[in-house]
Amino acid sequence: MANNETFRTCPRTGLQFHDSAEMLMKANAVVGVVFLLLGGVLALLIGLTKWPDVHLLPADSFYLVLTAHGLDMLVFWIIFFEIAVLYFCSSTLLRCRLATPRMAWLAFALMLIGAVTTNVAIFQGNSSVMMTSYVPMQAHPSFYLGLILFAVGALIGCFVFFGTLVIAKAEKTYQGSVPLVTFGAVTAAIIAVFTIASGAIILIPTFLWSVGYIKTIDPLMYRVIWWAFGHSSQQINVAAHIAVWYAIAAIVFGAKPMSERVSRTAFLLYIFFLQLASAHHILADPGISSEWKVFNTSYAMYLAVLASMIHGLTIPGAIEVAQREKGFTKGLFEWLRKAPWGNPVFSGMFISLIGFGFLGGISGVMMGTEQLNLIIHNTIYVPGHFHATVVIGTTLAFMALTYFLIPVLFRREIMFPGLAKWQPYLFGFGMYVFALVMMGAGTLGVPRRHWDMSFLGAAMPYEFPGSAYLLMSLVGISAVVAVIGGGAYILVTVSSIFLGKKLDAGVISNKPTPVVTPVSAAISGHGSLGIAGFAAPGTFVLAMVFLVAFVLYYFINWKYLSQVWGLS
Amino acid sequence: MVEDTNSVPNDSEERVPIMQQILDNPFLLLFIGVAMPTVFYIVWGVMEIVTIPIAK
């Protein structure tokens, strides 16, 4: 170990930050938030265009903005922040130095250059091919090159994470297994490696095609392999934000997992099966067999869904157990009523968890069913679903974590605490409505990408019912509310980081120390290894409500399918 | 030869269950996590596409 490395122990939590890791976490998180800001501005423009009475942008600008919004939000914001989370879950939670900080800076530089290159290509106006960039639509070569550079950087970041795990084990900075939160990050990093490799497999030949070295790219081949990148990148998010949920349950409540075995097995199910859910994008494509579709979506995906339901049960269950131990034992839900709803770290996490499960989870299973998928394929239902998973699930969880990291990592007091208190509600409930009305409009057949739902001047026009226009107006209104909530997050975080009152840095030493205080003990400790009994009755009731909603919605869609597509 | 009656294994020498050994090995998990979707999603899917007859 080099002698000039230092470790800072946070006086508020006991967490320990390796100086190089700390700088890298800050850099990745800050750049991620810059892309969130850019993507948020673009989201407002899209929302105001999708609102039929406003219809702000002309067609060419709309497709340009939609391309930039998709990539800035779904790829750049989230993966920059996830790299920060990976470094936190390895170096900080395992109390060890980060492996190869120079390689980590190289990764950061490649990601930044790649993200900027792709954005420049898009805003120059000759790469409005949407996030999916389906061939034979062709973008400027720098569009693909930027994505490849970003992917290589992110891949290096993942291997820095794995290297840090090796260092922690070799230097014996932890006992037994890695903490559950770190295990969740391991799951995210594994999915990331597959995702990025798939991106390289398809984007490198597509880049060569764009510069003229390859004559043609088969559209079906492109779609199948691209979705191994495009959808799996959202599965990195799922594993990462669930790790963040476990972390926040530990931070706010000192909650330990109800059963480490069950939670780790659920993450293992993700490692086995979660990436296979990419297949649901191909369900309406000819040329691929039903066996491939049914195995990858129904059989494999349902095992990953089972894992999500386990996490959705064990995380609130762990919170309930921790709350009941503190004396909130009255009735089924005193533990929940008396939870710190004014603390954005908790409220953001809980709104994220409920929205991800009820809106994103249930709609995802419906979409992943081959027959039902035909009802909503390529409609605006699909963005309704993934805004529930990625924006409510991942972005809101990361926002909640930021409120914890500002005093701990950035050593600043949070500015505008009143606004911070309300921000998760404004953003979260704005997005709840946004996702719901999008799914409603999609069920009525409103297309996902088309600039003009009225198809004005089209050779074969189609008139949607008035309710579809109403729902699309609500999409616009709720988008504005959510963007205001997102703006509040940017205002609070940016002003806190740059103008907030400086906090005590804590003790700095030249080697990791085994000091453990309540927060660091909870976040890096281990819970019960057995299977908990009926220790969380309130959570059990919530799970039953979820199950009933799930079953009802699933069968309502079968009923709906029978009406759309009569057999007699 | 007298058997050593004091050789009771302590906790640190306790055998780690096989499942825990798997879960504690990130590189084995990385292999599984990459191999599974590569075989069932990409290789299987690509094989189906390349075996589609070319239109005449």
Side-chain angles (χ1 to χ4, degrees), chain A residues 324-366:
Chain A
R324 285 184 183 277
E325 280 171 4
K326 287 176 189 158
F328 300 116
T329 53
K330 213 176 188 180
L332 280 174
F333 295 114
E334 192 193 16
W335 64 275
L336 194 55
R337 280 200 316 277
K338 298 280 174 68
W341 292 102
N343 178 352
V345 180
F346 167 73
S347 63
M349 170 264 177
F350 209 81
I351 294 168
S352 156
L353 188 149
I354 296 293
F356 177 80
F358 277 85
L359 300 177
I362 293 176
S363 60
V365 173
M366 194 285 267

Side-chain angles (χ1 to χ4, degrees), chain A residues 166 177 183 190 194 198 218 220-221 224 227-228 268 271-273 275-276 278-279 287-289 291-292 295-296, chain B residues 19-20 22-27 29-38 40-42 44-46 48-50 52:
Chain A
V166 172
S177 305
F183 191 72
I190 289 169
F194 170 75
S198 305
D218 180 77
L220 182 56
M221 192 77 85
V224 168
W227 278 114
L268 187 65
I271 292 170
F272 274 93
F273 300 112
Q275 298 103 305
L276 302 177
S278 304
I288 299 280
S289 70
E291 288 85 354
W292 183 89
F295 174 80
N296 281 295
Chain B
M19 195 64 196
Q20 192 178 333
I22 294 170
L23 291 173
D24 285 346
N25 187 339
F27 294 99
L29 296 177
L30 175 63
F31 173 76
I32 295 169
V34 173
M36 276 284 290
T38 301
F40 287 108
Y41 182 91
I42 291 186
W44 185 1
V46 168
E48 296 215 340
I49 296 167
V50 297
I52 297 172

